[in-house]
Structures are given as C-alpha cells and as structure tokens.
Amino acid sequence: MIQTGKRGLLGLAAAAAAAPGARAQQPAYPTRTVTIVVPFAAGGPTDTVARLTAEAMARDLGQTVVVENVGGAGGTLGAARVAQARPDGYTLLLHHIGMATIPTLYRRLPYDPINGFEAIGLITDVPMTLVAKKDFPAGTLAEAIAVIRRERDNLNYANAGIGAASHLCGLLLMSKVDAPMTTVPFRGTGPAMQELLSGRVDLMCDQTTNTTEQIRSGAIKVFAVATRQRVPSLPDVPTAAEAGLPGFEVSIWHGLYAPKGTPRPVVERLSRALQAALRDPRLVARFAELGTEPVARERATPEAHRQFWLADIAKWRPLIQAAGQYAD
Ligand code: MLT
C-alpha cells in the first residue's frame, strides 16, 4: 500500500530515485579503454593484425583500444586470461585458427575453450609462406625438400608452440615431405623470426603479415606460398602446387572474442565497430601490403563467426585424434 502525505511523498521520491529505471542513464559502452589480448609475443603476425584492428576500432568506438601480449603455451595462456576476465566488454581476445585446434589438442585447460567465449566476428584469412634462413642450401622448393629429406631432424624448424599456425603448417609440411625436423618452440613467430634472421633456426612456415617485409628485403629465403593462388603482394613467389608440392595449402583465419556472458548490446556494439574497422581504408591498405584482406561483411558477424569456428573445430578434431598428438 502506498502512503501519501509529505513523508509518504519523500518515501515515494526516495523509492522512485532508487528504482532502476530512474537511475541516471548508464553512459553507453565503452566509457574507458578497451584491451585486446593477443596470445602471442609482440611483433608477430597476430600482433600485427591486432594492432591494425585495434587502431581502426578505436576510431569507431571513440575510446582507446590497446593490445596486450600474453604469449606462451601455443596461445592458451592469453585465451585463459580473457575467458576468466570480467564479461563487461573491456577485455577481448584476438586469436586465430588455434581456437579451432586447441579444444582437441589440449585436454586439460583452466578454461572452456569453446563455451568460455562470445564470438564477435571474423577478421581476415592470412596466407602462409615457407621461409628459411638466408644461407639455407636451397634455391627452390624442390631443392629445399631434398635438403629436408636428407638432413631430417638435424634441421631446426621454428614454431610458436603446439596449436599455433606455424605448428599446424609444420605438421602438414613434414607429413607431405615425409621427413621429421627438430621443432624449436617460441612464444610467437615474432621472436622466432629473429632467430631465423640470425640463422640460429633453419626453416619456418609463417604468415605473410610477418614474412612479407623480410622476404622483400632479401633477409630471408622463401620457397612457396601455401595458397591456391599467388599472393598479390608477393607476385614472384610460386604457390606450393606450382613449385611441386600440391595440397600444401594453409591459410590462417583470425577472429575477435569476448568472455562468455558479455551483454548482447556490448557484443553488438563491438561487432559494429569491427565491421567499420574492416572497411577502414588505412587498415585495408596495410592488410594488402602484408598479403591479406578483410573478410567479407557477412563473415564478420557474431553468428557467422561462431558457425565457422564450430565447423572448423569439427574439421580438425578427427585429424588431431588420428595423429594422437596432444599438447598435454
Ligand atoms: C604469432 O602471432 O606469433 C603467430 O600467430 C604464431 C603462430 O600461430 O604461428
């Protein structure tokens, strides 16, 4: 029963003031800096995609978007950080195909690798290149395969840990040429590139977003791109099929995620900002210089991303189980 009279009115006013609807309108998300966690070391390909995406999203969101690198354990440390973060839209994850392999490769994780996240949208598919140190004793893919088959595990193959793109590509390469190499893991292919440039490791399979400039400067050798078509930014580099290794095709999809339970309006706001970022001329131009392009608009939605991601998990699961190679 509602009391009237002055005190009643004050009571009413207080109640009204306390009522949720009456509280001052919550300022729209975001009201402060947003962090994108990259699960690999700074300076690598995922970091490059993240920094360009963050810059462009910040222009749409009207807030600073920073990148934080949490490398290690094939990208699972950074993913754990975000899965366990407050689901308020201020801590996001930018990850790649690893999100499709990790659920099978890792059987003991401190987070749910599938239901721990909200998909926000796909970003880009980056081609892989097979590269080697400058004085690697081969000039073509065929010659490189001969060296790999002769030297086998005397050769050091660099990657970014189990589940990383460079790991998957290495697995495919070694199975295709039927010769194992010694794998040297790093917290990302950013640091691995430094070891390749110094000649301390021999070979690596890595994304054009990390190899293009080193290839162009002649600081490293390249034998092929692992794509069906040549990459416009590397017109002289043959496809693996052209160079004699058909079926050696890997491109690395990337997507943006928020912790599970992030409010729908926030996920939708982030998706709109991502869509705007992927149409941003500065991002598009830089992606092109690095051998890639944004995904088509219809793939950059939360629904399309989630469907694609779940389908890719289902594709990799039997392959990994058949190989019986688990990370733990
Ligand atoms: C990186 O950013 O270091 C790479 O994405 C690592 C990889 O997955 O090979």
Side-chain angles (χ1 to χ4, degrees):
M1 185 183 64
I2 299 186
Q3 292 189 349
T4 57
K6 194 151 168 296
R7 207 152 42 74
L9 279 177
L10 279 177
L12 265 179
R23 201 177 292 127
Q25 193 56 35
Q26 293 292 335
Y29 168 88
T31 59
R32 55 187 167 85
T33 298
V34 174
T35 298
I36 295 181
V37 171
V38 166
F40 296 104
T46 314
D47 188 56
T48 299
V49 168
R51 287 177 194 277
L52 291 166
T53 306
E55 229 175 79
M57 285 183 72
R59 285 191 275 273
D60 184 80
L61 290 169
Q63 282 292 345
T64 307
V65 181
V66 297
V67 169
E68 183 187 345
N69 300 87
V70 182
T76 59
L77 293 186
R81 164 78 66 82
V82 176
Q84 293 153 358
R86 181 194 294 270
D88 57 8
Y90 290 100
T91 308
L92 308 175
L93 173 69
L94 193 148
H95 205 332
H96 58 35
I97 193 171
M99 290 292 275
T101 57
I102 284 168
T104 310
L105 278 168
Y106 290 77
R107 294 167 295 187
R108 284 178 288 280
L109 286 169
Y111 66 99
D112 182 328
I114 303 175
N115 299 314
F117 302 96
E118 305 283 354
I120 295 170
L122 293 165
I123 299 172
T124 182
D125 295 313
V126 182
M128 291 293 261
T129 46
L130 179 58
V131 294
K133 64 183 180 181
K134 196 174 173 136
D135 57 0
F136 189 84
T140 65
L141 180 59
E143 289 170 7
I145 291 171
V147 173
I148 295 170
R149 287 186 173 140
R150 187 179 66 238
E151 297 297 329
R152 305 175 72 81
D153 43 23
N154 296 327
L155 293 171
N156 289 329
Y157 174 87
N159 75 19
I162 295 182
S166 45
H167 167 240
L168 298 174
C169 190
L171 278 182
L172 182 61
L173 175 69
M174 293 181 218
S175 72
K176 282 240 161 242
V177 302
D178 191 22
M181 290 183 270
T182 298
T183 297
V184 184
F186 295 87
R187 297 171 76 83
T189 52
M193 180 60 79
Q194 297 314 311
E195 296 300 290
L196 194 73
L197 290 167
S198 69
R200 283 189 289 272
V201 294
D202 301 296
L203 284 156
M204 179 163 75
C205 190
D206 195 16
Q207 298 161 64
T208 56
T209 37
N210 198 36
T211 60
T212 296
E213 275 150 8
Q214 307 296 359
I215 290 168
R216 284 220 191 102
S217 71
I220 58 175
K221 281 188 176 174
V222 59
F223 298 119
V225 283
T227 43
R228 204 152 290 167
Q229 314 292 337
R230 288 196 178 202
V231 172
S233 60
L234 293 167
D236 307 330
V237 180
T239 66
E242 284 173 320
L245 195 62
F248 182 56
E249 288 174 23
V250 193
S251 73
I252 308 304
W253 59 271
H254 292 68
L256 193 63
Y257 305 81
K260 187 73 183 175
T262 300
R264 201 75 223 155
V266 172
V267 169
E268 275 148 19
R269 180 68 191 89
L270 286 163
S271 173
R272 285 199 304 279
L274 178 60
Q275 298 252 5
L278 297 182
R279 315 263 89 63
D280 184 309
R282 279 166 275 193
L283 176 141
V284 174
R286 189 66 184 130
F287 271 19
E289 283 166 9
L290 297 172
T292 189
E293 60 187 11
V295 297
R297 187 183 285 274
E298 59 277 9
R299 292 185 65 205
T301 66
E303 298 69 32
H305 177 183
R306 188 162 182 81
Q307 274 169 26
F308 176 87
W309 176 30
L310 296 178
D312 215 41
I313 292 171
K315 182 185 94 181
W316 283 101
R317 177 158 283 143
L319 297 171
I320 294 166
Q321 287 169 336
Q325 290 191 0
Y326 297 99
D328 52 15

